[in-house]
Amino acid sequence: MQKKSLTQNAVLNMIRTLMSLIFPLITFPYASRILQPAGLGKVNFANSIVSYFSMVAALGISTYAVREAAKLRNDKIALSKFVKEILSINLISTAIAYILLAFAILFVPKLSEYRSLLIVSSVNILFVTLGIDWLYIALEEFSYITIRSIVFQFISLFLLFIFVRTKDDYLKYAAIGVVSSVGSNICNFFHARRYILFKEKNCRNFRPHIKPIFTLFAMSVAISIYTALDTTMLGFISGDEQVGLYTVATRINKIVISVITAASAVLLPRLSFYISQHNDEQFLMLTEKALNLIILLALPCAVGLCLVSKPVILLLSGSRYEQAIPVMQIMNPVIVAISLSGLIGIQIFMPLGKEKLTLASVILGACVNFILNMIFIPRRGAFGAGIATLCAESSVTIFQLAFAWRLFKLKKIIPHIIQCIFACVVMAICVFCLAKIEFNLILQIVLSVVSGAFTYGVMLLLLRDRFCISLIKEKFGK
């Protein structure tokens, strides 16, 4: 298979991620105002419940499948056999997930109130399985994934403005959210015939896949505890309105994190391929470059978003959500923590076969998150959930860095970190002074982002940051 440009893959994946985030930026202000905190909270509570059953269906298969399929991408027969084995396992786990969901709806009184929402949201479970998105990531077919995603996002956007008109349309809002995913995954299933010989008869052997899949499943369970558990516990303890506030507060953080991690998400298939070819030099060079890039992007985003949190919340969701501002501010450092742990725990540890380290780190995070949620949510609601998440994500990242320090020469990136921090301090002073001047909300956000980015970039150049200069030389000539 033709080797694809990593830069092109990263750009395409960032475009796909950015588009998937721009659409919510268009739809979310509309939906939050129409549905109001209670309606928005209902949908997100239902989605958080379905996410647990989606996790059972997924079993941690995706990450394992990307890693292994990337190693087989030059052998169509072996790849076809592998895909059919993984798909068979995935269909069995999906059936189990639906059975468990049916029992939960029937026997948990709280969930019976959300029956219709849960049924609509659960449609995603089946089609994510059939979509075998992991195959296209392993084959580095990011152009196809990007175009397909954008098309169905436009369709869902069109449906939203037509059908969601009142606060009672939250069920329609949930259904429209499913449309984009379902359409994309149906296309995936039929398009996969270009790469997979489905009619070829093979003797299927599930045994080699079971142990690594269940290791990753345990990891996904732990991750879900400290990602979806916040919303779930808020729903049970504090009610729909606190869930709505928390959703608004975390929405922008998730958008920023998704854009940053999209650049590194393309590394797993390539790094897995390098490991299979025993190309340690390329592996180490690529991981060091990725760590520098994540630090370069994540630090200013966390600082800058803290400074513009008030105008962003007011612009996107209105004054009804003003209580979400401190929640968003307390959670901004999560951008750095999740960006680093996503790179180290998935993109680096996984190709090396060190998924047990990632599992241990997320179990630690899950325990921290659960304990702190129990302490802070009853007292502080959404703000307490934010504190718990920040502590949990920080513990995961610190754990992973402790082990990565032994595996890689991380001392080499310390000067880059110090320079980025100093540039962020200067940037923060500039943006803070600008925020004192009263502007229109949109103008205030635009001026803050532009001036902050300009100040940050100029400071890094004045400090002669080696990584930043190497990027410029690489793109614009020596």
Side-chain angles (χ1 to χ4, degrees):
M1 183 170 290
Q2 184 179 2
K3 186 178 178 180
K4 296 178 173 63
S5 164
L6 261 182
T7 302
Q8 181 181 331
N9 287 347
V11 169
L12 285 168
N13 203 40
M14 287 182 75
I15 290 172
R16 177 172 71 100
T17 304
L18 194 58
M19 290 303 294
S20 69
L21 301 171
I22 288 174
F23 275 91
L25 283 178
I26 298 170
T27 61
F28 190 70
Y30 176 80
S32 62
R33 285 172 169 82
I34 295 293
L35 299 178
Q36 298 182 14
L40 190 65
K42 288 179 191 294
V43 175
N44 282 281
F45 177 69
N47 286 337
S48 73
I49 296 297
V50 169
S51 70
Y52 294 114
F53 299 95
S54 299
M55 174 186 62
V56 173
L59 271 185
I61 283 172
S62 180
T63 306
Y64 168 74
V66 169
R67 182 183 73 184
E68 299 304 315
K71 298 175 183 177
L72 302 171
R73 61 188 185 182
N74 292 330
D75 186 340
K76 192 170 186 177
I77 294 175
L79 179 63
S80 299
K81 181 177 181 291
F82 174 78
V83 169
K84 286 185 281 188
E85 289 172 351
I86 296 299
L87 185 57
S88 298
I89 295 171
N90 214 170
L91 287 169
I92 294 169
S93 64
T94 299
I96 294 170
Y98 273 111
I99 292 169
L100 293 174
L101 177 60
F103 274 104
I105 292 172
L106 289 172
F107 297 110
V108 179
K110 174 77 172 176
L111 298 186
S112 63
E113 301 172 20
Y114 296 83
R115 181 177 301 173
S116 299
L117 272 173
L118 291 169
I119 292 171
V120 169
S121 298
S122 70
V123 173
N124 256 331
I125 298 175
L126 175 62
F127 286 97
V128 166
T129 298
L130 294 177
I132 51 176
D133 224 32
W134 47 265
L135 173 64
Y136 297 94
I137 297 173
L139 298 177
E140 299 187 39
E141 290 291 338
F142 290 98
S143 56
Y144 162 74
I145 297 174
T146 302
I147 294 169
R148 173 217 67 187
S149 298
I150 292 172
V151 168
F152 282 98
Q153 282 162 356
F154 271 108
I155 293 172
S156 62
L157 177 65
F158 177 73
L159 294 173
L160 175 71
F161 290 127
I162 289 178
F163 293 106
V164 178
R165 297 293 185 87
T166 72
K167 66 178 182 179
D168 297 321
D169 288 335
Y170 57 85
L171 188 60
K172 294 177 184 177
Y173 176 67
I176 291 166
V178 172
V179 167
S180 168
S181 175
V182 168
S184 297
N185 289 316
I186 290 173
C187 289
N188 278 5
F189 185 73
F190 290 103
H191 188 260
R193 296 173 185 274
R194 293 183 58 182
Y195 310 104
I196 303 302
L197 304 170
F198 281 109
K199 293 183 179 179
E200 186 84 15
K201 292 185 178 180
N202 307 104
C203 179
R204 299 183 189 181
N205 182 15
F206 301 136
R207 186 174 295 178
H209 311 307
I210 299 301
K211 185 176 179 180
I213 282 174
F214 275 94
T215 299
L216 291 171
F217 174 62
M219 185 171 70
S220 67
V221 170
I223 290 173
S224 293
I225 288 175
Y226 70 85
T227 53
L229 191 65
D230 295 337
T231 305
T232 306
M233 291 182 72
L234 272 173
F236 277 106
I237 298 171
S238 300
D240 293 333
E241 186 167 342
Q242 287 296 312
V243 174
L245 293 171
Y246 188 75
T247 301
V248 168
T250 57
R251 173 77 63 168
I252 306 300
N253 282 343
K254 288 178 180 178
I255 288 173
V256 174
I257 290 166
S258 298
V259 173
I260 294 172
T261 55
S264 63
V266 302
L267 296 178
L268 179 56
R270 184 64 59 87
L271 291 174
S272 298
F273 183 73
Y274 285 152
I275 290 295
S276 70
Q277 301 297 309
H278 306 289
N279 193 340
D280 295 338
E281 183 180 349
Q282 286 292 325
F283 181 90
L284 289 172
M285 184 178 71
L286 189 55
T287 53
E288 183 184 333
K289 190 174 182 179
L291 281 165
N292 278 316
L293 180 62
I294 290 295
I295 292 163
L296 178 74
L297 297 175
L299 280 173
C301 286
V303 174
L305 197 56
C306 183
L307 294 168
V308 298
S309 55
K310 183 175 181 178
V312 166
I313 292 286
L314 294 178
L315 176 66
L316 294 180
S317 303
S319 57
R320 282 176 172 268
Y321 294 87
E322 200 164 353
Q323 294 178 48
I325 294 170
V327 183
M328 182 178 173
Q329 290 173 334
I330 193 67
M331 292 189 68
N332 283 326
V334 165
I335 294 171
V336 179
I338 294 180
S339 297
L340 283 173
S341 64
L343 174 64
I344 298 170
I346 302 298
Q347 312 302 327
I348 297 177
F349 282 174
M350 284 296 300
L352 291 171
K354 296 191 178 294
E355 54 265 28
K356 289 183 179 179
L357 286 177
T358 308
L359 173 60
S361 69
V362 295
I363 288 174
L364 171 64
C367 292
V368 171
N369 188 252
F370 179 77
I371 292 169
L372 295 183
N373 273 339
M374 293 295 292
I375 295 171
F376 291 119
I377 287 179
R379 299 176 182 178
R380 302 298 303 274
F383 188 81
I387 295 173
T389 298
L390 174 60
C391 294
E393 295 293 356
S394 299
S395 66
V396 171
T397 305
I398 292 169
F399 182 95
Q400 291 181 0
L401 281 170
F403 283 92
W405 191 273
R406 302 175 187 178
L407 295 172
F408 308 105
K409 298 175 181 178
L410 294 183
K411 290 182 180 179
K412 293 172 66 177
I413 67 173
I414 290 178
H416 175 64
I417 296 173
I418 294 171
Q419 288 170 331
C420 285
I421 291 172
F422 186 80
C424 280
V425 171
V426 178
M427 179 197 75
I429 294 170
C430 174
V431 175
F432 182 77
C433 293
L434 192 64
K436 292 294 183 181
I437 306 171
E438 291 189 8
F439 291 113
N440 169 275
L441 288 176
I442 296 176
L443 186 60
Q444 186 177 347
I445 293 168
V446 171
L447 287 175
S448 296
V449 171
V450 172
S451 63
F454 178 77
T455 305
Y456 181 70
V458 168
M459 285 305 303
L460 287 176
L461 290 176
L462 290 175
L463 292 167
R464 305 291 296 170
D465 180 69
R466 291 178 63 185
F467 178 71
C468 193
I469 291 171
S470 70
L471 284 180
I472 294 172
K473 285 182 177 179
E474 184 180 320
K475 299 303 174 187
F476 299 104
K478 298 179 181 179

